[in-house]
Amino acid sequence: MVVLAGLLLSEGIVLALSLDVANGEGNPVCSSGYNNPSLCGGIDMVLLWETLYVVALFFVVVLIPFTIFYYEADDGEVIVARNSDGAKGDAAAARNNRCLEASKYTTGVVLISGLLFYLCSRYINEVQLPLTTIEIDSSNFQIFLMTGGQLPNGLKKITDEEVSISEKATLQEGAMILKLTPVLFVMAIFSFVGWILFAFFTGIGLASFPIDNVTAYLYRPRHMDAVEFAGAQLSIRERTDDLVDIGEMLRLEREDRRLDQKKRGYFKKRRYNNLDQKTLNRFKQAVYVLEKDVADLKLSHEKYSEYNPLIPFLRLLLGCVTALLSLLW
């Protein structure tokens, strides 16, 4: 739910840009802040932008950290409690402990984030915009009043004297300093960090997508005879037995750590949780590879009639095209 809500919020922020343009309809009156209902859409886009970014800040600082800490606090207590005599009561107590632990860590994140936000918004909340100032003596210029955006009839031409005075204009380079409100500061931080992450993950995607398609062609399923299929089945069976044994060992180790959990400090417990998570991720990766090999094995022998041999060649073509696009990017 948190992931889905975060994706919807991200899409809402992106679509709000189009709504902002449609609400102003490109009229300079709307962009100047006059909010004329006959010319503008009537939606207070400033309030909408502030609301979206405040909600995004709540997701980043409170909701997402709480979810991460809640799942990190899952050390098998609920599963063990369900297998014990007081099933319902122990399971509820384990869930309450997870919520309490996640709340404590989330409070720390909120306090640290609030302190950093206060310091940054207090000392680096200024924006310097480049400004060029033109100084000119306009005492000899004739001023014309124009109404309705139309030049009056009989407008005199610029005299040579006025041209010579304009050539004496001086340019001064400077900067305009603007103070940011807290909400604008949040928008600036999100935009700055967001562009960095976008460039980083876009670069990864541009490189990995062609490689994935080319490797899908190189390691495409091939037809196997009975002897090869029997050898592959034996290998799959041995790998399955090994993973079952490893999974049982991981379960026992997690139960032992749960019993010894109260004797550990915060940092030691955090270190063990990180090591446990890395081990679990490697186990999940091995299971995923095994499942993929089983699916490929079936396509190579049992379900070869259901396999479309054109797919690997299409993926090879797609990999070449995306590799060219990545190089041109």
Side-chain angles (χ1 to χ4, degrees):
M1 290 297 296
V2 175
V3 175
L4 179 60
L7 292 175
L8 291 176
L9 178 61
S10 302
E11 294 173 358
I13 294 176
V14 173
L15 294 176
L17 181 61
S18 302
L19 178 62
D20 195 352
V21 175
N23 186 65
E25 298 180 358
N27 197 302
V29 175
C30 302
S31 60
S32 300
Y34 292 100
N35 294 328
N36 189 341
S38 62
L39 299 176
C40 309
I43 302 176
D44 190 353
M45 293 304 301
V46 175
L47 178 61
L48 178 61
W49 282 115
E50 292 179 350
T51 302
L52 288 175
Y53 274 93
V54 168
V55 174
L57 180 65
F58 173 77
F59 266 74
V60 172
V61 177
V62 179
L63 189 57
I64 294 178
F66 177 83
T67 305
I68 294 174
F69 292 135
Y70 182 82
Y71 281 102
E72 284 186 352
D74 181 15
D75 55 357
E77 290 183 357
V78 177
I79 298 176
V80 175
R82 288 175 179 174
N83 295 330
S84 60
D85 295 333
K88 294 184 178 179
D90 293 342
R95 280 191 291 269
N96 292 334
N97 291 334
R98 292 169 60 187
C99 292
L100 180 61
E101 186 174 356
S103 300
K104 292 190 297 184
Y105 296 152
T106 305
T107 302
V109 172
V110 172
L111 293 177
I112 296 174
S113 302
L115 178 61
L116 292 176
F117 176 77
Y118 171 76
L119 294 176
C120 294
S121 62
R122 182 176 178 84
Y123 296 105
I124 59 173
N125 66 332
E126 294 181 352
V127 176
Q128 294 185 358
L129 300 178
L131 178 65
T132 302
T133 304
I134 303 176
E135 294 184 358
I136 187 171
D137 185 11
S138 61
S139 59
N140 295 324
F141 278 85
Q142 184 179 0
I143 300 176
F144 300 95
L145 298 178
M146 295 177 290
T147 58
Q150 300 293 330
L151 293 175
N153 296 328
L155 184 63
K156 295 182 179 180
K157 295 182 179 181
I158 299 177
T159 63
D160 295 336
E161 182 182 2
E162 291 173 339
V163 173
S164 62
I165 294 175
S166 64
E167 292 176 350
K168 299 178 181 179
T170 58
L171 302 179
Q172 293 183 357
E173 300 293 338
M176 179 187 298
I177 299 177
L178 300 177
K179 290 282 187 179
L180 296 180
T181 63
V183 178
L184 285 178
F185 184 76
V186 171
M187 294 181 181
I189 292 296
F190 275 17
S191 300
F192 178 72
V193 177
W195 274 111
I196 294 177
L197 295 178
F198 175 76
F200 180 76
F201 287 107
T202 301
I204 294 176
L206 289 175
S208 63
F209 192 73
I211 295 175
D212 290 341
N213 285 282
V214 173
T215 53
Y217 168 77
L218 296 177
Y219 299 100
R220 63 189 182 276
R222 303 176 185 273
H223 180 69
M224 303 172 64
D225 55 24
V227 177
E228 292 176 338
F229 183 74
Q233 274 188 324
L234 181 60
S235 176
I236 292 293
R237 189 177 299 110
E238 293 176 352
R239 290 168 57 188
T240 303
D241 295 337
D242 292 339
L243 288 177
V244 170
D245 295 337
I246 293 174
E248 184 65 21
M249 291 174 58
L250 291 177
R251 186 184 67 82
L252 295 176
E253 289 179 359
R254 296 188 70 183
E255 290 182 1
D256 294 338
R257 281 196 293 271
R258 181 187 63 83
L259 296 176
D260 194 42
Q261 180 180 3
K262 297 181 180 180
K263 301 179 182 180
R264 302 176 189 162
Y266 170 77
F267 294 101
K268 187 175 181 181
K269 179 181 177 181
R270 187 78 176 173
R271 184 172 67 254
Y272 276 103
N273 287 339
N274 291 335
L275 293 175
D276 185 43
Q277 188 64 36
K278 291 180 181 178
T279 304
L280 185 60
N281 289 337
R282 287 196 293 267
F283 178 74
K284 290 180 179 179
Q285 183 180 9
V287 173
Y288 172 77
V289 173
L290 178 62
E291 292 176 348
K292 187 177 183 301
D293 291 342
V294 171
D296 292 341
L297 181 63
K298 291 182 178 179
L299 290 175
S300 300
H301 187 77
E302 296 178 355
K303 299 182 179 180
Y304 70 93
S305 59
E306 302 177 4
Y307 178 69
N308 188 350
L310 295 178
I311 293 179
F313 294 95
L314 293 177
R315 296 198 64 176
L316 176 62
L317 178 61
L318 181 61
C320 295
V321 173
T322 52
L324 181 60
L325 293 177
S326 300
L327 293 176
L328 294 177
W329 185 278

